[in-house]
Amino acid sequence: DAMVIQNPRYQVTQFGKPVTLSCSQTLNHNVMYWYQQKSSQAPKLLFHYYDKDFNNEADTPDNFQSRRPNTSFCFLDIRSPGLGDAAMYLCATSRDRASHEQFFGPGTRLTVL
Amino acid sequence: GENVEQHPSTLSVQEGDSAVIKCTYSDSASNYFPWYKQELGKGPQLIIDIRSNVGEKKDQRIAVTLNKTAKHFSLHITETQPEDSAVYFCAARNGVTGGGNKLTFGTGTQLKVEL
């Protein structure tokens, strides 16, 4: 089945130690998104790609970076995680710029010790 | 930018009763309104959506209504079942050029269906 896959599902890192979360999709969608969702809160968009065109939200901290080496994969890099970065990180895709529907992956739960 | 408010934050109903969750949005240019269901430890799953040229949409036990004039939309679940228990998020998408595909989410409603 076509889907959005996130690995790992659970990630533990230490304060200040860089961490990378990964997302892959078999939907061949053009657009990929990264959201941060803290406990009992709504998902908050960090950035998104239209193909290789990167779009950063104005309030996304510089500590968060992203890479999209090809259509199928997208990575979220947190350069120096702080305790406040502990959250669920959700990857989502859309078919193209005109598509409304977003398909979400299962998320990666990040714990910062 | 867009602001989406969602009420109530928690909702408890008896199995078989109906549940209604309401959202309001601020940007009159928004033209797409999805509803997502998120079960514990999982990503949000789209359950129904509505576009601004439609006033109501129904899919089995789930329906969504949209009032563009008042800028509010609602999710209706009839004949609720225990497996409907989850967090539900509404969202709005700004269709203006430059707004892209960005969704603005409401704060979520924890629905509990009791036996």
Side-chain angles (χ1 to χ4, degrees):
Chain A
D1 289 338
M3 55 198 301
V4 181
I5 302 161
Q6 291 190 243
N7 286 306
R9 294 293 313 279
Y10 301 91
Q11 177 73 55
V12 179
T13 190
Q14 293 180 335
F15 183 94
K17 184 175 182 181
V19 66
T20 295
L21 310 182
S22 71
C23 176
S24 64
Q25 51 122 346
T26 60
L27 299 160
N28 201 33
H29 282 178
N30 181 264
V31 191
M32 294 187 77
Y33 310 81
W34 278 106
Y35 288 87
Q36 179 192 63
Q37 186 179 28
K38 295 189 176 181
S39 182
S40 301
Q41 295 185 21
K44 179 181 179 297
L45 184 64
L46 295 174
F47 24 60
H48 63 285
Y49 281 91
Y50 292 128
D51 194 13
K52 293 184 179 181
D53 181 23
F54 177 72
N55 297 269
N56 197 39
E57 291 300 299
D59 57 355
T60 298
D62 293 339
N63 195 29
F64 291 86
Q65 303 287 322
S66 184
R67 295 170 284 134
R68 191 179 184 186
N70 54 53
T71 299
S72 300
F73 286 87
C74 195
F75 299 98
L76 170 62
D77 301 307
I78 308 177
R79 293 191 297 184
S80 182
L83 298 179
D85 297 327
M88 174 78 88
Y89 289 88
L90 297 164
C91 174
T93 72
S94 289
R95 188 178 68 242
D96 50 43
R97 282 177 183 260
S99 295
H100 294 74
E101 188 173 353
Q102 293 189 18
F103 298 84
F104 282 83
T108 294
R109 171 74 65 185
L110 177 67
T111 299
V112 181
L113 300 177
Chain B
E2 176 66 278
N3 182 49
V4 178
E5 295 188 359
Q6 183 172 347
H7 301 280
S9 57
T10 60
L11 179 60
S12 184
V13 299
Q14 295 293 314
E15 183 180 10
D17 287 350
S18 296
V20 180
I21 302 171
K22 299 182 179 181
C23 289
T24 60
Y25 61 99
S26 61
D27 190 343
S28 57
S30 289
N31 61 0
Y32 172 69
F33 306 92
W35 285 90
Y36 286 87
K37 176 184 180 182
Q38 187 173 24
E39 297 177 336
L40 192 64
K42 298 183 179 180
Q45 180 182 12
L46 180 70
I47 57 171
I48 196 167
D49 55 16
I50 192 167
R51 285 159 172 74
S52 58
N53 59 349
V54 176
E56 183 175 359
K57 183 177 178 180
K58 190 173 182 179
D59 182 4
Q60 299 182 340
R61 296 187 297 109
I62 295 173
V64 58
T65 59
L66 171 64
N67 183 326
K68 285 171 53 180
T69 302
K71 289 189 281 189
H72 66 69
F73 56 113
S74 301
L75 176 71
H76 304 252
I77 305 174
T78 59
E79 300 173 26
T80 53
Q81 302 167 2
E83 51 265 38
D84 294 330
S85 296
V87 178
Y88 291 81
F89 289 99
C90 64
R93 173 188 180 267
N94 186 330
V96 174
T97 300
N101 289 14
K102 180 177 179 178
L103 290 176
T104 300
F105 285 85
T107 49
T109 296
Q110 174 74 62
L111 174 64
K112 183 178 181 181
V113 180
E114 298 177 333
L115 296 172

